[in-house]
Amino acid sequence: MSYRNSYNRHNEWYDKQFPSEDSKIEVYQRRRNIEKNSLANWLQDIFFECLSPLLHKKDKEWLTVGDAYGFDAEYILNSKNQALATDLNTKFLNIAQREGIISECKAENAEQLSFADNSFDYVLCKESYHHFPRPYTAVYEMLRVAQSAVVIMEPQDPVSKMPFLLFLSNLLATYPNSLRKIWKNQFSYEPVGNFVYKVSEREFEKLAAGLGLRLVAFKTINPSFWFKGAEYVSMKNKKKLFLHIKLKKTILDFLVKIKFLPAQTLVSIIFKIVPDNDTINSLKKNGYRLVYIPKNPYLT
């Protein structure tokens, strides 16, 4: 089936971009020599700050899925929690482990994880879910191996937040060619070979309700201003460019706040068990919207 070709393309992708071991090592060396206040690090921190409500309790076991370079696991490890980094291809991760960036790694397909049920406290899937050819299979697998919650950070489906686009889609449904002329990225694909699967709050609410789970939490962020070379942009050497990107983000944040535009990224936490009050309060302070799902009255 075609989705198997997607696995193969993803498995080979980083080797094509960085064919030698030296070129892979250079990625980590370059990152080590870059200032902490680079634009790339600032954008990554927007993602990672969303984890703070779950990282305040130490020594929890985390699994990172699709963590190609190990940077997600590195952040969790720096918070005094444990993390196992996984990806289809571990050639980068093996170097990251050797360089002391991560503590351990393993080759894993997110849609067929090899771990036993409830093996980890938390599972993090950051900017990888949209690559999966069978994303629902992956989220069920991540929920299976998680004991407390699964965190998914992905591009948000704009249709779910833009009624006009939904109206237009329904209006032109019988004229698909016309719709595609207007909505050019209705079906978007990446060079690596995958369909870009964007997520919505509603689909995770329904998924949780179907499994009898009681709580999901959502937060929207705007971190998608990365470009090639962003790691070299800092307040020190390219202050004007850095400030320009910050201004663009500030404007977008405002437009999202007044609901004129949808946010770029949706952070979703699917809880298998309802957390304690400290975590609930921390989620609220961090800007999460909590959705409590009622019990199924026919199964109580």
Side-chain angles (χ1 to χ4, degrees):
M1 297 179 70
S2 61
Y3 69 83
R4 299 191 186 281
N5 293 331
S6 181
Y7 298 145
N8 294 333
R9 290 285 298 271
H10 275 83
N11 195 32
E12 298 166 356
W13 178 255
Y14 289 103
D15 284 334
K16 289 182 178 178
Q17 307 304 309
F18 306 93
S20 68
E21 182 168 318
D22 287 343
S23 65
K24 293 180 176 67
I25 292 172
E26 187 181 351
V27 170
Y28 295 108
Q29 291 176 338
R30 186 171 66 238
R31 182 171 176 268
R32 190 177 291 118
N33 294 330
I34 293 167
E35 291 184 82
K36 291 290 184 182
N37 65 343
S38 71
L39 177 61
N41 286 340
W42 178 68
L43 294 173
Q44 281 298 300
D45 283 345
I46 297 170
F47 284 103
F48 289 138
E49 285 167 5
C50 298
L51 297 175
S52 60
L54 303 181
L55 292 176
H56 70 286
K57 293 189 175 179
K58 310 306 178 187
D59 293 321
K60 296 296 183 181
E61 296 283 344
W62 285 73
L63 173 71
T64 60
V65 174
D67 191 1
Y69 301 104
F71 297 151
D72 303 347
E74 178 190 32
Y75 185 86
I76 294 167
L77 288 166
N78 287 339
S79 72
K80 296 183 170 34
N81 286 276
Q82 304 303 312
L84 170 61
T86 69
D87 196 73
L88 271 176
N89 186 324
T90 59
K91 290 182 180 179
F92 262 113
L93 292 177
N94 290 332
I95 295 171
Q97 184 175 353
R98 195 173 68 210
E99 295 286 318
I101 294 168
I102 59 175
S103 56
E104 55 182 334
C105 65
K106 196 166 187 275
E108 289 286 336
N109 183 334
E111 299 174 6
Q112 193 174 5
L113 296 172
S114 67
F115 309 105
D117 296 358
N118 303 314
S119 294
F120 303 89
D121 293 295
Y122 298 101
V123 177
L124 170 62
C125 182
K126 173 180 163 291
E127 299 181 285
S128 293
Y129 191 80
H130 70 275
H131 291 301
F132 301 154
R134 300 182 301 171
Y136 275 104
T137 302
V139 74
Y140 285 125
E141 275 291 273
M142 289 187 283
L143 283 166
R144 180 182 65 79
V145 304
Q147 188 171 29
S148 297
V150 170
V151 184
I152 298 175
M153 302 179 174
E154 286 300 325
Q156 183 172 222
D157 186 350
V159 177
S160 64
K161 293 296 181 181
M162 295 182 69
F164 175 73
L165 191 54
L166 180 59
F167 167 76
L168 192 62
S169 176
N170 291 333
L171 185 66
L172 298 176
T174 54
Y175 306 98
N177 291 333
S178 299
L179 177 61
R180 290 179 190 176
K181 287 179 181 179
I182 299 170
W183 186 9
K184 296 187 182 298
N185 66 340
Q186 181 185 9
F187 298 103
S188 53
Y189 298 87
E190 292 184 321
V192 69
N194 64 277
F195 167 71
V196 180
Y197 188 97
K198 297 181 179 180
V199 300
S200 69
E201 296 176 6
R202 183 58 179 159
E203 68 184 276
F204 289 133
E205 290 174 1
K206 293 188 293 184
L207 183 147
L211 293 174
L213 305 180
R214 301 300 309 282
L215 178 65
V216 287
F218 301 110
K219 179 179 179 178
T220 55
I221 54 176
N222 296 306
S224 301
F225 295 93
W226 185 90
F227 55 87
K228 190 173 182 179
E231 62 270 27
Y232 299 113
V233 176
S234 73
M235 291 291 286
K236 182 178 179 180
N237 64 4
K238 293 187 179 179
K239 183 177 179 179
K240 286 185 178 180
L241 180 54
F242 200 119
L243 293 175
H244 177 68
I245 298 297
K246 278 193 168 185
L247 177 61
K248 286 175 65 176
K249 183 184 181 309
T250 300
I251 293 171
L252 180 56
D253 287 343
F254 173 74
L255 293 175
V256 170
K257 185 176 181 179
I258 64 174
K259 302 186 184 305
F260 184 77
L261 289 176
Q264 296 170 333
T265 299
L266 176 66
V267 180
S268 308
I269 307 178
I270 309 168
F271 285 96
K272 288 183 72 175
I273 56 174
V274 177
D276 58 31
N277 288 333
D278 286 344
T279 302
I280 293 290
N281 291 332
S282 184
L283 286 164
K284 291 177 179 178
K285 288 179 182 177
N286 198 263
Y288 280 90
R289 182 177 71 87
L290 276 57
V291 178
Y292 288 91
I293 300 169
K295 288 183 178 180
N296 185 335
Y298 302 102
L299 296 179
T300 55

